[in-house]
Amino acid sequence: MAFDDVVKLLALSPSTHTEALAAAAVEPAAGRVDPTFSFVRDEGLVECSAPGVSKASALKVVMAERGIDSGQAMAFGDMPNDLPMLRLVGHPYVMANGHRIMLEAGFPIAGYSDDGAVGAVIDRMLHIAGPRRP
C-alpha cells in the first residue's frame, strides 16, 4: 500500500491525555493531516485523517448524490470530530452529554444520547413538516 492510500492514522500516547495530545498535534500536522478525537481517555488517542476526509466530506457526497440541500439536512454530534459535519448542515444538534467543546460551540442541544434525544428531535421535525403519511 502506498502512503497516499492512507486516510487515517491513529496517534497514541500512554502519558498524554487525549485533549493535550490533540492540541499538541495541530502545529506539526500543518495541514498534512487533520487531527481530531472522538472520545477522551487518559492515554491519549488522536485520529489524524487525510485532509478532506471526514464525516462532513462523506455527508457532502451523500447529499449531492441525493440532491439534498445542506440547509435542509440534520446532523447530531457529541465529539470534536463531529464539528465540521455540524457546521455543514442547516439543522445541527449537539448531544447534552457531549464533549465540552461541542456544548460551547453554540449549536442547539438535542438532549441526552441515552434518553432517546435523537428520535425526539426527529419526531418534532417531522411534526413541524406536516402529518405523517402511512
Side-chain angles (χ1 to χ4, degrees):
M1 174 187 338
F3 187 70
D4 290 341
D5 295 334
V6 175
V7 295
K8 186 177 278 191
L9 170 74
L10 300 179
L12 175 66
S13 174
S15 61
T16 308
H17 191 271
T18 293
E19 292 173 328
L21 184 61
V26 171
E27 187 176 329
R32 293 185 293 269
V33 295
D34 293 332
T36 189
F37 57 96
S38 58
F39 63 95
V40 176
R41 52 188 252 172
D42 290 336
E43 294 178 332
L45 180 64
V46 173
E47 303 164 22
C48 300
S49 298
V53 176
S54 67
K55 291 178 184 180
S57 63
L59 185 56
K60 279 183 189 178
V61 170
V62 170
M63 289 187 304
E65 288 174 349
R66 290 172 172 76
I68 299 170
D69 179 83
S70 62
Q72 299 276 314
M74 179 186 299
F76 297 84
D78 63 349
M79 293 300 288
N81 68 320
D82 295 324
L83 280 171
M85 176 182 65
L86 295 183
R87 291 181 180 128
L88 173 67
V89 300
H91 301 280
Y93 290 91
V94 171
M95 304 314 298
N97 52 324
H99 189 275
R100 67 174 169 72
I101 288 173
M102 302 299 286
L103 296 170
E104 296 169 357
F107 297 111
I109 297 175
Y112 290 92
S113 58
D114 58 354
D115 196 26
V118 171
V121 170
I122 293 170
D123 192 49
R124 281 195 307 274
M125 292 297 284
L126 290 173
H127 281 92
I128 290 170
R132 291 188 194 174
R133 297 179 185 175

